[in-house]
Amino acid sequence: MSTLAPSNVPVVDIDPFSTEFLTDPYAAHQQMREAGPVVYLPKYEIYAMARHAEVHAVLGDWETFISSAGVGLANFRKETPFRPQSLILEADPPQHTKSRTVLSRVLSPKSVMALRTSFQAEAVALAERLLARCEIDAVKEIGEAYPLKVFPDAVGLTSDGRENLLAYGDMIFNAFGPRNELFANAVKRVGPTTQWIMANCQRAALRPGGLGDQIYQAVDSGELTEDEAPMLVRSFLSAGVDTTVNGIGNALYCLAQFPEQWAKLHANPALARPAFEEALRYESAVQTFFRTSSRDAEVGGVQITEGCKVLTFLGAANRDPCQWPNADVFDIERRPSGHMAFGSGIHGCVGQMVARLEGELVLGELAKRFKRIEITAPPTRRLNNTLRALGSLPLRLIPA
Ligand code: 4IA
């Protein structure tokens, strides 16, 4: 329970990377939000923010709360990163600006608009195939199947072995946490996947004109070095799959748990985009991120000294009752704008328009064809140090 640390920061004795917490984090989120604007987690000797205002403040101040020392628990100033550091996620300006400029262009609204036709056709094809089915595992057959088809196609991956993207994602999102059993098991499973990933970041592995190749075009124009391009393709392959897999899986779980919400969506499939957005708020795929203080700072009246790891709970900020009325209610007709599921500030998700496009199209095409979706057996969780993820979601899809 909460006591006062010497520095007047409420101490909360929870482990946000434990099985218990990761299985159901919401009561602990509330405990942290109520304890204060900033809390101290003694197990990891870190500060943490679970309220919307302070999460927003920390993510908005990239000069004080830097990313170049890593956005996981590991402090890159003191330990070697487990993989070569990302040139965008784990970078500050000016390197971050250089990388971001290229990725923002490759993932611009115009560029994402150009993906819509093919992404829609795949969503239609998937939903039509499912009409012939009755009971499915929605994690595998929708959550994984759709992003694993459309995103690598858009990036331009030409080789076989896309399932490697799932194992790789599971590992890197576990790697943002402590070196616990979840991380150890992910590393064991990953095997030769890392080599596959790096091989597929090379220009020769990428279809000309795809999103990956467009990064290499910035080498041709002198904007990036030859070494930077494969690393930025790696960022696509790291950030673009497990996030949308779980964004879609979690959204289906929400909609299946609250049949009146599915009914609204079925009656008006144009609600697909706001429904996906609300699901991102309610069950955020990316739950947490760290920053490191580059100087002495003050957040919510609490002094934080230079060189500290600071943990922001995106998923808790997204349930903050000071930010949203009935924060624990899933309602596809609310306006969840301002949610933290894509982060915020200069590191806010650069691929969010692609993610939204995928979510909108999958939910929309399913909503047009199925009048109900029913959970037929208890879903299982795939615990991960960073992701809110399901292992399986047994659903019965009932055609309209
Ligand atoms: C990268 C936050 C998450 C979606 C993410 C993971 C990896 C990378 C970027 C973002 O490797 O650059």
Side-chain angles (χ1 to χ4, degrees), residues 71 83 86-90 103 168 172-173 176 231-232 234-236 238-240 243 286 289 349 386:
V71 298
R83 60 169 194 163
S86 164
L87 298 181
I88 182 155
L89 179 75
E90 297 156 332
L103 294 193
Y168 189 69
I172 69 151
F173 285 98
F176 295 125
M231 286 295 286
L232 291 177
R234 193 192 71 170
S235 287
F236 278 172
S238 301
T243 48
V286 176
F289 262 107
C349 180
T386 302

Side-chain angles (χ1 to χ4, degrees), residues 236-295:
F236 278 172
L237 304 186
S238 301
V241 179
D242 221 349
T243 48
T244 47
V245 163
N246 290 297
I248 292 169
N250 291 346
L252 290 168
Y253 185 38
C254 292
L255 290 161
Q257 279 178 95
F258 305 109
E260 78 290 353
Q261 299 298 315
W262 182 270
K264 278 198 267 187
L265 180 60
H266 177 61
N268 181 10
L271 287 172
R273 203 169 170 99
F276 186 62
E277 209 67 22
E278 170 66 348
L280 287 170
R281 182 194 72 82
Y282 189 80
E283 290 268 43
S284 308
V286 176
Q287 284 279 308
T288 46
F289 262 107
F290 288 87
R291 293 291 187 261
T292 309
S293 53
S294 63
R295 55 194 180 198

